[in-house]
Amino acid sequence: MKKISVVIPMYYEEQVADECTNRVTKVLKSIKDEYDYEIIYVNDGSKDKTLEILEKQAKKDKHIKVISFSRNFGHQAAVTAGLKYVTGDAIVIMDADLQDPPELIPDMLKEWENGYEVIYGKRKKRDGESAFKLLTAKAFYSTINKLSDIDIPKNTGDFRLVDRKVVDVVNTLPEHNKFLRGLFSWVGFNQYAYEYERKERFAGETKYPLKKMLKLASDGIISFSTKPLKIVGGFGIFSVIVSILILIYSILSYVFKWNNLTAGWTSMMCTMTFLGGMILISLWMIGEYIARIYDEAKDRPQYIIKKTINL
Ligand code: UDP
Ligand code: MG
């Protein structure tokens, strides 16, 4: 019998943990004649009752497996850890807050049976998300697609059903800071855009404050593109041209006595501030890459597991 693994990261999700298990289990039980299943929860260092609730669930139901981190390592790390433990033939990645309805799994499975290997959820409509979130999400996808060498589908989160083969490939990639939705697009295979309506969070608040969103965005852009570095080169050339023009102007104005101002003050100030800014921006861009190279070079694990249950 074929098996489905569902990977669900949790960070301070005590309010949704029970409802999540109920809804996912109900769906998977309805197709249990065709598919065996497991639910792998990754507790990403929550300090509320999340782990306690999951432990209780796992005691009652052996289908439920739990990985618990030693601290918060972030959503992408949590999903990455879950993917290492899956034993199914088809793997579903979804959020705990039920914004991605588990009821769609049987339908996605049909596409998988039709031969698609990555069925990614594409959001048609996004309920209950602030205008700010929608705007930043749009800006993020258009920036990343302009900058990067691959096409990351718009309005797509991590909600998807993937074939075992694809997960095996992603698991063997050596990079530490995995930007999963980019990697799942980068690996190729037969991809299917599954359109759905993204619901409101079942309970609780978003665990993605602006700071985490910016980190995700910069990870995404930097790990899929070196264009920011090339843009830096463009800055350099541009400022060299501007300085040559200023130089020509200064010489001409000296020779032909165009003005009596303290010679060069304005142009000096302009070039200095302009160049200073350019240099700092360039250093920052290069620094972002070096920071990541350093991070990878240290070769530290992306997460630390403190405890597993039923695994
Ligand atoms: N999450 C996590 N670690 C974090 C932040 C979030 O494991 O540091 C989980 C969270 O519990 C949820 C999923 O990632 O299952 C998506 O988070 P959330 O729903 O808060 O993000 P949003 O839908 O608002 O983008
Ligand atoms: Mg959510």
Side-chain angles (χ1 to χ4, degrees):
M1 189 152 70
K2 286 179 187 164
K3 184 171 178 182
I4 309 166
S5 302
V6 183
V7 175
I8 306 178
M10 282 206 178
Y11 183 54
Y12 284 90
E13 301 285 12
E14 60 181 12
Q15 285 169 288
V16 302
D18 276 326
E19 178 72 8
C20 179
T21 300
N22 291 343
R23 291 250 313 258
V24 177
T25 306
K26 195 170 157 215
V27 171
L28 294 173
K29 278 212 170 121
S30 72
I31 47 174
K32 75 172 186 317
D33 295 335
E34 296 154 80
Y35 304 99
D36 188 12
Y37 73 91
E38 67 180 354
I39 305 174
I40 300 186
Y41 283 116
V42 186
N43 172 37
D44 187 10
S46 332
K47 290 205 168 65
D48 61 352
K49 294 212 175 66
T50 305
L51 182 60
E52 212 176 291
I53 297 171
L54 293 179
E55 276 174 341
K56 245 185 245 157
Q57 294 178 0
K59 215 173 263 166
K60 270 192 270 171
D61 184 351
K62 292 288 166 244
H63 290 103
I64 294 173
K65 305 174 177 182
V66 182
I67 300 169
S68 188
F69 284 177
S70 63
R71 64 167 170 85
N72 180 240
F73 282 94
H75 174 212
Q76 300 290 301
V79 176
T80 306
L83 292 178
K84 293 258 188 243
Y85 283 86
V86 294
T87 56
D89 305 286
I91 290 97
V92 177
I93 302 170
M94 58 175 272
D95 287 353
D97 58 5
L98 299 166
Q99 281 191 284
D100 314 317
E103 288 73 20
L104 303 179
I105 294 174
D107 221 30
M108 292 171 112
L109 274 170
K110 274 188 206 128
E111 299 305 334
W112 177 62
E113 295 285 6
N114 284 342
Y116 287 101
E117 288 144 325
V118 178
I119 295 105
Y120 59 88
K122 193 167 158 59
R123 299 154 187 180
K124 258 198 302 207
K125 203 168 119 233
R126 302 168 69 138
D127 277 346
E129 287 189 290
S130 65
F132 177 71
K133 178 111 190 183
L134 294 181
L135 195 78
T136 46
K138 204 169 159 204
F140 168 62
Y141 285 106
S142 66
T143 321
I144 196 166
N145 278 329
K146 276 206 196 84
L147 288 180
S148 67
D149 314 323
I150 55 155
D151 254 354
I152 295 173
K154 265 187 213 110
N155 281 325
T156 302
D158 284 314
F159 180 42
R160 61 190 67 227
L161 186 148
V162 260
D163 190 272
R164 171 94 231 165
K165 284 197 287 288
V166 183
V167 169
D168 285 341
V169 171
V170 169
N171 279 346
T172 52
L173 297 176
E175 59 198 89
H176 292 93
N177 243 325
K178 289 202 172 108
F179 181 63
L180 292 167
R181 62 194 73 165
L183 289 176
F184 278 119
S185 162
W186 174 84
V187 292
F189 292 93
N190 286 337
Q191 307 247 348
Y192 183 92
Y194 184 90
E195 292 208 348
Y196 75 108
E197 279 178 27
R198 187 152 157 100
K199 300 282 182 273
E200 262 179 79
R201 205 172 219 289
F202 173 71
E205 297 274 291
T206 175
K207 306 297 180 295
Y208 256 101
L210 186 62
K211 207 173 133 209
K212 275 189 184 165
M213 258 170 12
L214 288 176
K215 162 106 180 27
L216 182 74
S218 71
D219 273 347
I221 291 169
I222 290 182
S223 60
F224 281 97
S225 163
T226 50
K227 278 209 185 111
L229 283 174
K230 292 175 185 137
I231 295 171
V232 163
F235 284 170
I237 292 171
F238 178 68
S239 47
V240 167
I241 292 173
V242 171
S243 4
I244 291 175
L245 291 178
I246 292 174
L247 189 72
I248 294 174
Y249 172 79
S250 316
I251 295 173
L252 290 178
S253 89
Y254 176 74
V255 173
F256 297 105
K257 310 241 170 344
W258 283 343
N259 57 49
N260 298 322
L261 291 174
T262 311
W265 191 83
T266 319
S267 54
M268 276 291 279
M269 285 315 278
C270 287
T271 23
M272 266 172 60
T273 46
F274 181 72
L275 272 178
M278 289 293 184
I279 291 170
L280 287 178
I281 292 174
S282 315
L283 281 178
W284 167 47
M285 294 259 166
I286 296 167
E288 286 282 327
Y289 283 87
I290 296 181
R292 280 171 177 75
I293 295 171
Y294 180 51
D295 218 45
E296 295 287 328
K298 279 187 291 193
D299 212 20
R300 282 188 197 146
Q302 200 187 356
Y303 51 80
I304 297 166
I305 294 172
K306 185 165 154 190
K307 186 176 180 185
T308 61
I309 306 168
N310 289 347
L311 276 166

